Amino acid sequence: MQIVKSSFIIFVFIQILFSCGSSNGESNNKKIVSIGTSTVLAHSYSNTTKINTKHLTLDLDIDFVNKTVYGVARHEMENHGSDTAIFDIKALEIQKVTIGNGNEHETDFIIGKKDDLLGQPLFVKIKKDTKFVNIYYKTTDKTEALDWLDPKLTEGKKYPFMYSQGEAILTRSWIPIQDVPSNRITYSANVKVPKDLLALMSAENPRNLNPEGKYHFEMRQPIPCYLIAIAVGNIAYRKLGPNCGVYSEPELIQKCKYEFVDMPKMIGAAEKIYGKYQWEQYDILLLPYSFPFGGMENPRLTFANPTLLAGDRSLVSVIAHELAHSWSGNLVTNAAWEDFWLNEGFTVYFENRIMEELYGKEVADMLAIIEFQELQSEMKTINEGEFPEDTQLKLALTNRNPDEGMTSVAYVKGAFFLKTLEQKVGRELFDKFLKLYFKENAFKTVTTEGFEKLLNTELLKPNNITFNTKEWLYAKGLPSNCIHLKSQRFEDVQTLADRFASGEDLFKVKKSKKRKKQKKSVLTRDKFSTQEWLAFIRHLPTKMDPKQLQKLDDKLNFKGWGNSEIQTEWYVLGIHSGYKGIKPNLKKFLNKIGRRKYIAPLYQALSENPDDLIWAKKVFIKAGMGYHFVTRSSVIEILYPHKEHVETKK
Ligand code: BES
Ligand code: ZN
């Protein structure tokens, strides 16, 4: 580190004290007070109201041997006269910091106290007119955003793979940055990778290998920094439409082409509802199985989980969801993580509209009901837990991990709020309002209060409509006017589930005398869609006789179905029922898949029984090595709630 002048040390020292919460009294120095309060509230130490990045240029060298990114983050900043620039870092090694563009010279910097959640503030001494700050750094083995996969964890098994996950506050663990959703930046990147691998980012992307392994990226539209993303691997490309296509390992590219064939239609449907797609190109990158989410809406390049390749296009609503984020989330962004429902609730609502447009209302309603069931059960858990106020749309996440806001409240209560509003005002007026919302706020951030105001002035007041908006946004639970959806097809399978549970043999093959034909059994695999099977399994009693479950498996093979939604549902029921027959398949599943939505409930169910818990811990020791940090840390919380030491680091 540079030798730091004493006045800078004292200035920074006071700020560190403040930002660590050890000062709550009056201070004569207003500058310090404002920095301290605003930043920690927003899950960031940065002082973006004083000085903020406008454009970021990244020089990155991706070293697979050491699983390290060597980088320079060149921040072009808007400085309102500040003599300190504060960035967020987490588990990064900072080598030096310079100021200037072209003519760089080193400057003093100090790294503040470590916080397990937020990381550390990086204070850089600048001049009141400094515009360029360049941070030389490298990632470490504690970097949480990056997943480095050995070849054996990829489909092809020959090449390594690396990808990033930035949302919510992990970008600071691979780039020193002002990690707040409310600051939008454009970015460029020069990336060097091994010659036989392709690099991709959430930017304008290459389609072919560069013989020297050098790639240049531009993201010309301003984005919040949680959307900066990178992936490097043995990756092929196929076009699916005029402005869309899919990237994946070559071994899976044909399957991707089949599964995602409706992408151009989805883009068309979305544009028809809420206006032009603003990001030129829309591609999907299918990641390896360790990817912790179903999808992540990195602009121009949605990251997708390979479990979406169900083979029958039954899980494509996840693609509709990530595409919808191109409007809600990426174009209009939640100002803080407390407003997360503005990203996800809008997106689930919009996703459902896209699904309705493509596959009809019956299918869209079934999807929404499945989600609503999840909301009801999660609300129950939240109500019984430490933070019952988490059933509000507007969240209180100070001193908490923003990940804790990632519940179906933001997603499904948010979407049902918008559905209820739509029902109240009519689709025509509602769409007109939402179009305006996206247009007025394009490339901006919005708070819940800002949305509420716009809703009142542009939709409710002019049309003389009264609506319990405040209750929906700021009160716990589900308001009684919540729209109620019904599905005849679900009711039919639920009746079958009741009949099966009460002992009726639904697999008996009846012979019809008249036609001399054999009548098929009532339950056959191809008779129902994925969502109907989910509704069927969910409707069975939460604890069943294992023999009955065995019978269903003998006839329908839920345990080896190859559809991850059905498998998860089935395994959870199996675990609760003490049905040992699932164990070999369950073990395979836990070893292969890293999507948290599936993995966490399985470990949760296993942890509820002492023998299963021992088994789960054993499985996790090996399987956990293949998970991304996001999933691994959630599983550790489930299996080791008392924070016993666990060695799972790769
Ligand atoms: N943006 C989210 C994923 C996310 C949220 C990552 C918060 C980190 C913090 C993404 O769009 C998402 O919601 N994925 C869902 C898809 C589903 C709701 C269709 C998932 O992965 O399950
Ligand atoms: Zn989402």
Side-chain angles (χ1 to χ4, degrees):
M1 193 193 294
Q2 277 278 103
I3 301 157
V4 265
K5 286 195 198 84
S6 56
S7 60
F8 181 62
I9 295 184
I10 292 165
F11 170 70
V12 167
F13 182 68
I14 298 169
Q15 294 204 35
I16 294 172
L17 276 182
F18 192 90
S19 65
C20 296
S22 41
S23 161
N24 55 5
E26 294 271 305
S27 167
N28 295 330
N29 192 336
K30 286 200 184 99
K31 198 193 289 171
I32 296 171
V33 172
S34 67
I35 290 169
T37 47
S38 63
T39 52
V40 176
L41 276 177
H43 295 102
S44 165
Y45 294 110
S46 63
N47 55 343
T48 51
T49 54
K50 302 255 168 356
I51 176 165
N52 65 295
T53 305
K54 299 294 287 178
H55 182 84
L56 173 69
T57 304
L58 292 167
D59 293 327
L60 303 175
D61 193 342
I62 315 294
D63 177 353
F64 276 90
V65 177
N66 296 301
K67 297 186 173 168
T68 302
V69 173
Y70 298 89
V72 187
R74 302 179 183 281
H75 293 262
E76 190 177 334
M77 310 187 85
E78 186 170 43
N79 187 353
H80 305 286
S82 181
D83 54 11
T84 309
I86 313 176
F87 301 89
D88 295 292
I89 58 171
K90 193 170 188 189
L92 289 179
E93 211 176 289
I94 304 298
Q95 287 143 348
K96 66 172 179 180
V97 183
T98 68
I99 52 179
N101 182 15
N103 179 21
E104 291 176 32
H105 48 88
E106 279 193 48
T107 188
D108 300 336
F109 68 91
I110 277 189
I111 295 171
K113 193 175 161 234
K114 204 183 275 174
D115 178 271
D116 279 350
L117 174 64
L118 301 176
Q120 292 163 284
L122 167 67
F123 299 92
V124 176
K125 187 180 179 201
I126 56 170
K127 301 205 183 78
K128 287 192 163 52
D129 61 354
T130 297
K131 286 200 173 59
F132 295 93
V133 178
N134 314 299
I135 307 168
Y136 291 69
Y137 71 99
K138 66 186 207 126
T139 60
T140 65
D141 63 352
K142 301 255 175 341
T143 286
E144 294 167 354
L146 303 182
D147 194 6
W148 299 91
L149 289 97
D150 292 333
K152 66 175 188 302
L153 290 172
T154 66
E155 195 64 27
K157 315 250 181 277
K158 280 205 202 92
Y159 300 92
F161 204 105
M162 186 275 274
Y163 66 87
S164 67
Q165 168 59 38
E167 196 181 11
I169 54 168
L170 301 183
T171 301
R172 65 190 68 178
S173 78
W174 76 285
I175 306 171
I177 203 152
Q178 298 180 307
D179 199 355
V180 277
S182 55
N183 188 48
R184 300 183 87 89
I185 61 172
T186 51
Y187 78 85
S188 330
N190 302 300
V191 180
K192 172 106 180 49
V193 301
K195 288 187 183 59
D196 43 8
L197 302 181
L198 185 72
L200 300 171
M201 290 192 82
S202 50
E204 201 173 323
N205 273 312
R207 292 187 185 164
N208 297 305
L209 280 184
N210 171 288
E212 291 172 69
K214 286 183 180 165
Y215 298 90
H216 180 77
F217 301 90
E218 291 288 340
M219 169 41 79
R220 294 189 181 83
Q221 285 106 325
I223 56 167
C225 75
Y226 72 84
L227 293 176
I228 304 175
I230 189 166
V232 182
N234 179 32
I235 300 169
Y237 183 73
R238 290 286 182 282
K239 212 172 152 142
L240 291 172
N243 67 338
C244 64
V246 60
Y247 291 93
S248 80
E249 285 189 65
E251 292 80 2
L252 290 175
I253 201 84
Q254 273 312 111
K255 281 194 176 170
C256 288
K257 260 194 92 165
Y258 176 83
E259 205 81 27
F260 304 138
V261 72
D262 281 344
M263 256 167 66
K265 276 196 218 155
M266 284 187 177
I267 299 172
E271 288 191 316
K272 196 176 121 195
I273 307 172
Y274 294 128
K276 201 173 163 13
Y277 177 74
Q278 301 273 354
W279 309 86
E280 297 165 22
Q281 184 70 21
Y282 182 74
D283 293 322
I284 293 176
L285 165 63
L286 194 95
L287 288 165
Y289 280 97
S290 67
F291 184 53
F293 298 106
M296 174 65 213
E297 67 271 25
N298 298 313
R300 298 181 69 118
L301 185 68
T302 280
F303 282 14
N305 195 291
T307 55
L308 301 193
L309 299 179
D312 58 3
R313 301 175 184 152
S314 60
L315 304 180
V316 292
S317 62
V318 176
I319 299 301
H321 178 97
E322 304 313 331
L323 171 66
H325 271 306
S326 309
W327 286 260
S328 42
N330 298 3
L331 195 60
V332 180
T333 308
N334 53 208
W337 297 113
E338 283 81 0
D339 305 303
F340 184 56
W341 81 274
L342 287 173
N343 273 17
E344 297 299 343
F346 269 72
T347 299
V348 172
Y349 170 82
F350 193 5
E351 161 200 342
N352 200 251
R353 292 288 304 272
I354 296 170
M355 294 305 283
E356 181 183 328
E357 200 70 37
L358 261 75
Y359 310 108
K361 183 152 166 53
E362 194 182 38
V363 169
D365 279 355
M366 285 198 282
L367 287 162
I369 294 171
I370 289 285
E371 290 164 349
F372 193 74
Q373 291 173 345
E374 282 154 23
L375 172 67
Q376 284 174 313
S377 95
E378 196 160 10
M379 289 255 235
K380 213 169 149 264
T381 315
I382 295 173
N383 265 325
E384 290 159 3
E386 195 185 341
F387 298 102
E389 57 283 4
D390 283 355
T391 61
Q392 291 170 198
L393 284 179
K394 173 86 183 188
L395 294 166
L397 294 173
T398 310
N399 295 327
R400 294 173 64 196
N401 193 332
D403 245 32
E404 292 179 38
M406 202 196 166
T407 72
S408 38
V409 171
Y411 284 79
V412 186
K413 182 181 173 184
F416 272 73
F417 164 47
L418 299 177
K419 271 179 178 291
T420 308
L421 257 172
E422 182 207 307
Q423 188 194 40
K424 173 92 182 176
V425 305
R427 185 167 276 188
E428 206 180 314
L429 273 184
F430 194 57
D431 278 353
K432 209 172 131 213
F433 166 70
L434 285 188
K435 249 189 182 153
L436 176 100
Y437 169 79
F438 288 126
K439 201 166 159 219
E440 291 258 303
N441 297 303
F443 300 108
K444 292 189 190 141
T445 49
V446 181
T447 59
T448 301
E449 295 75 13
F451 163 77
E452 187 190 358
K453 201 165 156 207
L454 195 75
L455 179 71
N456 282 328
T457 55
E458 299 296 331
L459 182 63
L460 300 179
K461 276 202 190 125
N463 295 294
N464 265 326
I465 295 164
T466 49
F467 193 80
N468 53 340
T469 314
K470 284 217 185 290
E471 184 189 358
W472 272 98
L473 296 177
Y474 310 112
K476 288 186 279 186
L478 207 55
S480 57
N481 64 334
C482 181
I483 187 172
H484 181 72
L485 298 180
K486 271 180 76 143
S487 157
Q488 187 55 51
R489 279 166 66 181
F490 275 4
E491 281 171 26
D492 293 347
V493 289
Q494 284 163 349
T495 308
L496 290 175
D498 285 337
R499 282 169 55 191
F500 180 79
S502 63
E504 194 178 326
D505 185 358
L506 298 178
F507 295 102
K508 212 160 63 200
V509 180
K510 289 185 196 145
K511 278 199 183 137
S512 139
K513 279 182 194 152
K514 259 193 204 159
R515 291 194 227 137
K516 286 199 176 166
K517 254 187 170 176
Q518 284 205 337
K519 254 180 125 185
K520 269 192 166 178
S521 80
V522 182
L523 288 183
T524 56
R525 196 161 148 159
D526 51 5
K527 226 175 184 170
F528 302 111
S529 67
T530 296
Q531 284 68 36
E532 284 165 288
W533 282 120
L534 286 177
F536 174 84
I537 299 171
R538 279 182 192 181
H539 198 71
L540 293 170
T542 44
K543 229 178 160 162
M544 290 273 290
D545 178 352
K547 283 200 200 91
Q548 271 193 305
L549 297 185
Q550 180 72 59
K551 180 158 189 192
L552 282 173
D553 256 348
D554 290 345
K555 300 286 182 186
L556 297 165
N557 192 20
F558 282 136
K559 69 176 184 312
W561 193 294
N563 181 307
S564 47
E565 292 283 340
I566 290 179
Q567 278 169 296
T568 303
E569 206 73 42
W570 184 244
Y571 295 150
V572 169
L573 175 64
I575 295 164
H576 284 147
S577 306
Y579 166 40
K580 302 265 181 295
I582 47 163
K583 285 281 174 71
N585 294 72
L586 173 58
K587 188 172 169 187
K588 257 192 228 153
F589 191 85
L590 292 170
N591 271 292
K592 181 173 179 184
I593 290 164
R595 185 174 172 188
R596 184 170 62 178
K597 181 188 169 200
Y598 302 141
I599 294 307
L602 292 169
Y603 281 107
Q604 180 61 48
L606 288 165
S607 73
E608 287 160 19
N609 167 307
D611 289 340
D612 284 341
L613 178 62
I614 294 169
W615 185 83
K617 284 182 174 173
K618 242 195 213 151
V619 172
F620 178 62
I621 285 177
K622 179 167 171 277
M625 312 253 279
Y627 301 157
H628 183 279
F629 163 80
V630 162
T631 299
R632 196 175 337 119
S633 54
S634 295
V635 176
I636 289 174
E637 272 178 37
I638 294 167
L639 295 183
Y640 302 91
H642 307 300
K643 303 204 185 335
E644 307 107 276
H645 177 74
V646 54
E647 194 53 63
T648 51
K649 199 85 201 104
K650 286 184 207 182

